[in-house]
Amino acid sequence: MTEDLSANKVNPHVTAYIENAGAQQEMMQAIRQLIHESVPNATEEFKWSRPVFRSDKDFAYLKTAKGYVSLGFFNFQKLNDTQNLLQGTGKDMRHIKIKSIADINSQLLQEWFKAASV
């Protein structure tokens, strides 16, 4: 399932952030695409100096870091994390570190995006 990201689905600030992500650009673009394929009504915002994705409420964010992309989830309790991949100690948020395009588990992330967005 491949969906072109139309101009009305993308936020220019998010696009600029991804374009300036250096080595993480390809990973971030792939995750962005996966979010929009998984949650067709997802919109993008730029908050807290990072891309934030929302449906009725914020459900995920992307952040560049040295050597990886941090993919965060709001309301992580909704996610079925049987492999204990989520990291962090926040009350409502957890994240995973994606170090290469090969680390993107599309099937798992699609499930998580759908669960987190409702």
Side-chain angles (χ1 to χ4, degrees):
M1 160 168 72
T2 301
E3 175 184 324
D4 290 328
L5 293 178
S6 61
N8 63 347
K9 293 194 103 175
V10 299
N11 180 307
H13 297 290
V14 172
T15 299
Y17 184 89
I18 292 172
E19 288 174 351
N20 291 312
Q24 287 88 8
Q25 182 177 354
E26 182 182 11
M27 288 183 287
M28 294 186 84
Q29 189 57 43
I31 295 166
R32 180 192 212 183
Q33 183 76 34
L34 195 57
I35 288 169
H36 286 289
E37 289 174 359
S38 304
V39 185
N41 66 329
T43 58
E44 301 178 347
E45 295 185 8
F46 195 77
K47 302 195 254 188
W48 311 296
S49 303
R50 69 196 64 170
V52 175
F53 300 88
R54 65 179 292 121
S55 52
D56 291 334
K57 59 186 182 283
D58 297 343
F59 67 88
Y61 70 84
L62 290 173
K63 182 180 175 201
T64 58
K66 188 173 182 173
Y68 63 91
V69 170
S70 181
L71 170 58
F73 293 90
F74 299 89
N75 297 310
F76 73 93
Q77 307 90 330
K78 295 180 175 183
L79 308 182
N80 185 14
D81 184 20
T82 58
Q83 300 174 44
N84 295 314
L85 300 174
L86 292 167
Q87 302 175 8
T89 58
K91 179 181 172 193
D92 296 315
M93 296 189 329
R94 294 287 190 275
H95 67 275
I96 59 173
K97 294 177 181 175
I98 299 174
K99 296 179 181 177
S100 74
I101 197 89
D103 287 346
I104 298 173
N105 181 337
S106 296
Q107 183 178 352
L108 176 66
L109 291 181
Q110 284 179 322
E111 289 174 19
W112 283 4
F113 293 139
K114 288 174 185 175
S117 67
V118 294

